[in-house]
Short mmCIF file of all heavy atoms in Angstrom, two decimals:
data_model
loop_
_atom_site.label_atom_id
_atom_site.label_comp_id
_atom_site.label_asym_id
_atom_site.label_seq_id
_atom_site.Cartn_x
_atom_site.Cartn_y
_atom_site.Cartn_z
N SER B 26 -26.51 -54.47 0.79
CA SER B 26 -26.32 -53.80 2.03
C SER B 26 -27.21 -54.32 3.19
O SER B 26 -26.97 -53.89 4.29
CB SER B 26 -26.54 -52.19 1.85
OG SER B 26 -27.88 -52.00 1.43
N GLN B 27 -28.35 -55.10 2.84
CA GLN B 27 -29.03 -55.77 3.82
C GLN B 27 -29.54 -57.03 3.31
O GLN B 27 -29.52 -57.25 2.02
CB GLN B 27 -30.24 -54.80 4.37
CG GLN B 27 -31.08 -54.43 3.28
CD GLN B 27 -31.97 -53.32 3.84
OE1 GLN B 27 -33.09 -53.61 4.34
NE2 GLN B 27 -31.74 -52.05 3.77
N ASP B 28 -30.11 -57.82 4.03
CA ASP B 28 -30.61 -59.16 3.67
C ASP B 28 -31.71 -59.07 2.65
O ASP B 28 -32.81 -58.37 2.79
CB ASP B 28 -31.24 -59.88 4.93
CG ASP B 28 -31.61 -61.27 4.71
OD1 ASP B 28 -31.69 -61.72 3.58
OD2 ASP B 28 -32.07 -62.03 5.69
N ILE B 29 -31.37 -59.74 1.51
CA ILE B 29 -32.47 -59.76 0.48
C ILE B 29 -32.93 -61.09 0.03
O ILE B 29 -33.42 -61.43 -0.92
CB ILE B 29 -32.02 -59.07 -0.92
CG1 ILE B 29 -30.65 -59.71 -1.42
CG2 ILE B 29 -31.59 -57.48 -0.64
CD1 ILE B 29 -30.30 -59.34 -2.77
N ARG B 30 -32.66 -62.04 1.06
CA ARG B 30 -33.05 -63.49 0.88
C ARG B 30 -32.50 -63.91 -0.54
O ARG B 30 -31.35 -63.99 -0.61
CB ARG B 30 -34.64 -63.66 0.97
CG ARG B 30 -34.99 -63.37 2.46
CD ARG B 30 -36.48 -63.00 2.58
NE ARG B 30 -36.71 -61.68 2.19
CZ ARG B 30 -37.74 -61.07 2.01
NH1 ARG B 30 -38.91 -61.73 2.31
NH2 ARG B 30 -37.92 -59.75 1.63
N THR B 31 -33.33 -64.42 -1.32
CA THR B 31 -32.90 -64.73 -2.76
C THR B 31 -33.46 -64.00 -3.75
O THR B 31 -33.56 -64.43 -4.95
CB THR B 31 -33.01 -66.28 -3.06
OG1 THR B 31 -34.57 -66.51 -2.80
CG2 THR B 31 -32.36 -67.31 -2.02
N TYR B 32 -33.95 -62.79 -3.40
CA TYR B 32 -34.36 -61.84 -4.41
C TYR B 32 -33.42 -61.13 -5.27
O TYR B 32 -33.19 -59.89 -5.13
CB TYR B 32 -35.29 -60.76 -3.77
CG TYR B 32 -36.59 -61.45 -3.25
CD1 TYR B 32 -36.73 -61.61 -1.87
CD2 TYR B 32 -37.72 -61.76 -4.08
CE1 TYR B 32 -37.82 -62.16 -1.47
CE2 TYR B 32 -38.79 -62.29 -3.54
CZ TYR B 32 -38.93 -62.54 -2.24
OH TYR B 32 -40.13 -63.09 -1.80
N LEU B 33 -32.57 -61.99 -6.07
CA LEU B 33 -31.49 -61.53 -6.72
C LEU B 33 -31.45 -62.00 -8.20
O LEU B 33 -31.67 -63.22 -8.40
CB LEU B 33 -30.19 -61.78 -5.95
CG LEU B 33 -28.88 -61.27 -6.30
CD1 LEU B 33 -28.17 -61.74 -7.58
CD2 LEU B 33 -28.85 -59.73 -6.41
N SER B 34 -31.23 -61.05 -9.04
CA SER B 34 -31.22 -61.42 -10.48
C SER B 34 -29.81 -60.97 -11.13
O SER B 34 -29.26 -60.06 -10.61
CB SER B 34 -32.12 -60.85 -11.34
OG SER B 34 -33.53 -61.11 -10.85
N TRP B 35 -29.44 -61.58 -12.14
CA TRP B 35 -28.16 -61.24 -12.90
C TRP B 35 -28.58 -61.09 -14.34
O TRP B 35 -29.25 -61.84 -14.90
CB TRP B 35 -27.14 -62.45 -12.80
CG TRP B 35 -26.54 -62.56 -11.52
CD1 TRP B 35 -26.85 -63.45 -10.48
CD2 TRP B 35 -25.32 -61.95 -10.92
NE1 TRP B 35 -25.98 -63.51 -9.50
CE2 TRP B 35 -25.10 -62.44 -9.71
CE3 TRP B 35 -24.56 -60.95 -11.47
CZ2 TRP B 35 -24.05 -61.90 -8.91
CZ3 TRP B 35 -23.55 -60.40 -10.78
CH2 TRP B 35 -23.23 -60.96 -9.51
N TYR B 36 -27.87 -60.07 -14.98
CA TYR B 36 -28.15 -59.68 -16.33
C TYR B 36 -26.84 -59.58 -17.04
O TYR B 36 -25.81 -59.21 -16.42
CB TYR B 36 -28.99 -58.37 -16.40
CG TYR B 36 -30.22 -58.38 -15.67
CD1 TYR B 36 -30.25 -57.94 -14.34
CD2 TYR B 36 -31.45 -58.70 -16.34
CE1 TYR B 36 -31.44 -58.00 -13.55
CE2 TYR B 36 -32.58 -58.64 -15.64
CZ TYR B 36 -32.60 -58.35 -14.31
OH TYR B 36 -33.83 -58.29 -13.60
N GLN B 37 -26.91 -59.85 -18.44
CA GLN B 37 -25.80 -59.48 -19.22
C GLN B 37 -26.18 -58.52 -20.25
O GLN B 37 -27.28 -58.54 -20.85
CB GLN B 37 -25.45 -60.85 -20.09
CG GLN B 37 -24.27 -60.73 -20.97
CD GLN B 37 -24.27 -61.82 -21.97
OE1 GLN B 37 -25.22 -61.99 -22.74
NE2 GLN B 37 -23.12 -62.43 -22.03
N GLN B 38 -25.37 -57.51 -20.48
CA GLN B 38 -25.60 -56.54 -21.46
C GLN B 38 -24.52 -56.43 -22.47
O GLN B 38 -23.22 -56.04 -21.93
CB GLN B 38 -25.92 -55.16 -20.82
CG GLN B 38 -26.47 -54.04 -21.88
CD GLN B 38 -26.82 -52.71 -21.14
OE1 GLN B 38 -26.17 -52.48 -20.26
NE2 GLN B 38 -27.77 -52.07 -21.78
N LYS B 39 -24.72 -56.27 -23.73
CA LYS B 39 -23.77 -55.98 -24.75
C LYS B 39 -24.09 -54.60 -25.24
O LYS B 39 -25.06 -54.02 -25.20
CB LYS B 39 -23.85 -57.07 -25.81
CG LYS B 39 -23.48 -58.50 -25.24
CD LYS B 39 -23.28 -59.42 -26.33
CE LYS B 39 -23.04 -60.80 -25.75
NZ LYS B 39 -22.66 -61.82 -26.67
#
Side-chain angles (χ1 to χ4, degrees):
Chain B
S26 60
Q27 57 186 273
D28 185 354
I29 59 169
R30 290 157 286 173
T31 57
Y32 291 103
L33 191 284
S34 302
W35 289 97
Y36 304 87
Q37 176 197 62
Q38 186 179 33
K39 298 191 177 182

